[in-house]
Amino acid sequence: MDAILKELSDGQAYGMILRAKGMLPTPQGEWIYFDLVPEEYEIRDGAPEYTGRICVIGSNLKEEKLEELFLL
């Protein structure tokens, strides 16, 4: 997750990302939450609300590349 968020926060390969956040399960069965703004992000442990969710806000977003990045 760290590599994914670093790529999103530092570049424009996926469009102009203004904000991204979400909650996802880890391969170990735990849950992580993330928050991202340009050039800054945070990852923390959490508990699921319902299912995993990802929200990306920006302009000229490359939705197919984002789906591949998060393996959706």
Side-chain angles (χ1 to χ4, degrees):
M1 181 55 65
D2 192 60
I4 289 172
L5 295 179
K6 181 167 180 45
E7 189 169 347
L8 285 179
S9 71
D10 290 343
Q12 293 189 13
Y14 299 91
M16 176 66 76
I17 309 291
L18 301 175
R19 175 100 164 87
K21 65 182 201 170
M23 62 180 135
L24 300 169
T26 67
Q28 297 78 24
E30 299 171 352
W31 286 80
I32 57 170
Y33 284 67
F34 70 88
D35 290 290
L36 176 141
V37 295
E39 300 181 18
E40 186 178 329
Y41 61 89
E42 176 186 19
I43 301 170
R44 60 193 183 284
D45 294 330
E49 290 180 13
Y50 299 103
T51 62
R53 297 181 188 172
I54 298 170
C55 177
V56 179
I57 300 168
S59 62
N60 300 318
L61 297 178
K62 297 178 174 85
E63 293 180 31
E64 288 182 15
K65 288 184 76 171
L66 286 166
E67 288 178 7
E68 289 174 14
L69 183 67
F70 284 101
L71 302 173
L72 299 175

